[in-house]
Amino acid sequence: MGQMTIGQDWHGISSWRSPLPVLRLILLCGWVSLMAGILLWSLHPIAYDSWHITPVLISLLWFSGPLLAFAISAGALILDQPASRLMKRAAAVHFGVSLAVGLVVLLTDQFGPATWLLLAALVDLPILALAPGRIDSQRAVKLLHMVVVSSVAGPIAALFLWSALNIKIVEWRALAVSGSHPYCVQVPKDYLGQYKAVTRRAELAGLRMRTPFTNGGGSTDYQFAFHAVLVVRHDEGDRLYNWSYFAQSFVPVSDSAIKGLTLRADCEPMVAFFDALYR
């Protein structure tokens, strides 16, 4: 009996060394990581400076499959029990319920809710295709659950790490653009396009230094401000630069944008602006 168990365990490990199962594991890790990142960003409350129950519930519904996979894998690691088959069955149940309810809602001419339900079902498909239903090796089972858990925890940790590093990146770029001239940095004060001077370095964190959205009562959301504005004082007047996450730097604001947004300096430039901030 002992030899058969060892043989079965070795067979499970050797099968996981073949390229296809390893590739499936990598793809599963990437998919769950992507879904975790989108979920966290979609729930990010900075857009309207508050949590809104409707998008929160919709996001949780959409990502229930990956969330179930994460919860089951975390439980399996804590309890030291195999649960790969349970993880796949949970995703299958969520897929079936979302698909069935989505089709019913669609037949009742409620296109919006049906779209979210059908998208929720589609999110489960890669999990069903990539996650193995049964693994003979205990090591492989543990590896699978560790990958799923780290796939969710990894993007969240990376997002908060980037948010913290953004403080220093903004400071470095502001110093590089301003050179020896007096400067200051201002961030949005509200969703109406007004600004206030930065008083704490924490205001430059990536998850916090975001342009607020507003809705004027129509179907479209608007942004009336930049993520941050660098004011550099020259002899001929102030020059304004807005922060671009794409460029990872401050870029010049055009004259038309300054006039259209009625942009002005709401902070007082000084030679060592960041040294004066409260730490």
Side-chain angles (χ1 to χ4, degrees), residues 155-177:
I156 295 175
L159 192 59
F160 280 99
L161 177 61
W162 161 79
S163 181
L165 291 176
N166 191 71
I167 298 174
K168 207 62 183 177
I169 294 173
V170 171
E171 181 178 347
W172 287 339
R173 297 310 301 161
L175 292 172
V177 172

Side-chain angles (χ1 to χ4, degrees), residues 108-267:
T108 60
D109 295 328
Q110 300 182 54
F111 183 77
T115 301
W116 282 103
L117 286 165
L118 294 176
L119 285 174
L122 291 177
V123 169
D124 297 329
L125 282 179
I127 298 176
L128 294 174
L130 298 172
R134 179 181 177 181
I135 308 174
D136 294 326
S137 167
Q138 291 183 355
R139 292 185 182 180
V141 170
K142 186 165 291 187
L143 176 62
L144 170 67
H145 294 311
M146 289 177 64
V147 164
V148 173
V149 170
S150 60
S151 297
V152 175
I156 295 175
L159 192 59
F160 280 99
L161 177 61
W162 161 79
S163 181
L165 291 176
N166 191 71
I167 298 174
K168 207 62 183 177
I169 294 173
V170 171
E171 181 178 347
W172 287 339
R173 297 310 301 161
L175 292 172
V177 172
S178 62
S180 59
H181 298 281
Y183 69 96
C184 62
V185 178
Q186 58 193 39
V187 291
K189 180 180 180 181
D190 52 35
Y191 58 82
L192 298 177
Q194 299 180 353
Y195 292 87
K196 66 181 183 68
V198 172
T199 58
R200 293 180 298 124
R201 279 183 165 83
E203 293 178 279
L204 302 177
L207 287 174
R208 186 170 181 178
M209 198 180 75
R210 307 292 302 177
T211 306
F213 283 85
T214 184
N215 189 299
S219 58
T220 305
D221 297 332
Y222 300 94
Q223 291 173 290
F224 294 103
F226 294 113
H227 300 304
V229 174
L230 171 67
V231 181
V232 181
R233 182 148 294 171
H234 291 261
D235 294 336
E236 63 275 14
D238 294 337
R239 295 181 185 176
L240 305 179
Y241 304 81
N242 73 280
W243 177 257
S244 169
Y245 278 108
F246 180 78
Q248 284 293 288
S249 183
F250 286 99
V251 297
V253 182
S254 64
D255 292 336
S256 59
I258 292 175
K259 293 179 181 178
L261 297 173
T262 61
L263 192 61
R264 66 180 188 275
D266 290 303
C267 59

